[in-house]
Amino acid sequence: MEEVLERTEILVRTMAQRDLADIVRIDSISFGHARPRYFEVLLERSVQVTGLQISLVAELDGRIVGFLVASLYYGEYGIAEPTASIDAVGVEPELRRKGVGRALMQQFRSNVAALGVTKVRTEVEWTDFDLLGFLAREGFSPAKRLCLESSIDPTKT
């Protein structure tokens, strides 16, 4: 059985600008390529509009090993309940299934519960079985709402 870290070994704190390079590095391992501008925008938004964003990092022995970025909504698509949406989450590959993601989720749930949030949503690639498994272990299940998309061909508008 794999060793799971004690929750007290993992420091979860608010994300800071200085964390950007580590977040991009961790994300690029999972996503397949670096998305620095995506995380720059998320960090800018979390600093400027703190009431609508929760951004956390997990540290182990002073090193960033995971992150979670979420947005808060006080009504969307005509639903008036406060909700949170996980925009991005990532953990160092060698530390997956060791409690880092769970520590991030515990702190995140504590933060949003204090704000009156009653639902958390996210979207996942259908084939990302590792992330789907993690979210299932964290109590997520398919929503009753269906996410739809449409491609737009700019040559035909």
Side-chain angles (χ1 to χ4, degrees), residues 6-51:
E6 293 291 323
R7 175 63 176 97
T8 56
E9 295 179 80
I10 304 164
L11 170 68
V12 177
R13 64 166 173 80
T14 301
M15 191 180 288
Q17 188 68 39
R18 68 182 182 272
D19 303 324
L20 181 62
D22 288 314
I23 294 161
V24 170
R25 178 183 50 77
I26 293 167
D27 178 71
S28 68
I29 295 166
S30 298
F31 201 75
H33 66 275
R35 304 184 293 168
R37 186 65 188 140
Y38 174 70
F39 287 100
E40 287 170 9
V41 169
L42 288 179
L43 269 169
E44 287 171 15
R45 193 170 74 184
S46 72
V47 169
Q48 294 171 0
V49 193
T50 56

Side-chain angles (χ1 to χ4, degrees), residues 81-93:
E81 71 181 333
T83 62
S85 174
I86 298 175
D87 301 318
V89 62
V91 172
E92 289 274 5

Side-chain angles (χ1 to χ4, degrees), residues 46-113:
S46 72
V47 169
Q48 294 171 0
V49 193
T50 56
L52 299 177
Q53 186 96 30
I54 293 179
S55 304
L56 303 169
V57 293
E59 287 185 10
L60 183 62
D61 299 326
R63 184 173 69 103
I64 305 288
V65 295
F67 67 89
L68 186 149
V69 180
S71 299
L72 302 174
Y73 300 95
Y74 292 96
E76 65 173 342
Y77 302 112
I79 300 170
E81 71 181 333
T83 62
S85 174
I86 298 175
D87 301 318
V89 62
V91 172
E92 289 274 5
E94 71 272 9
L95 292 172
R96 292 178 184 162
R97 297 183 183 263
K98 301 211 182 281
V100 174
R102 171 153 289 150
L104 284 162
M105 286 297 292
Q106 285 175 344
Q107 186 63 55
F108 168 70
R109 286 178 193 267
S110 177
N111 290 5
V112 296

Side-chain angles (χ1 to χ4, degrees), residues 138-157:
E138 287 297 317
F140 284 79
S141 61
K144 292 180 183 178
R145 296 175 6 175
L146 184 61
C147 180
L148 303 173
E149 69 181 13
S150 174
S151 297
I152 296 177
D153 182 349
T155 64
K156 297 184 180 181
T157 56

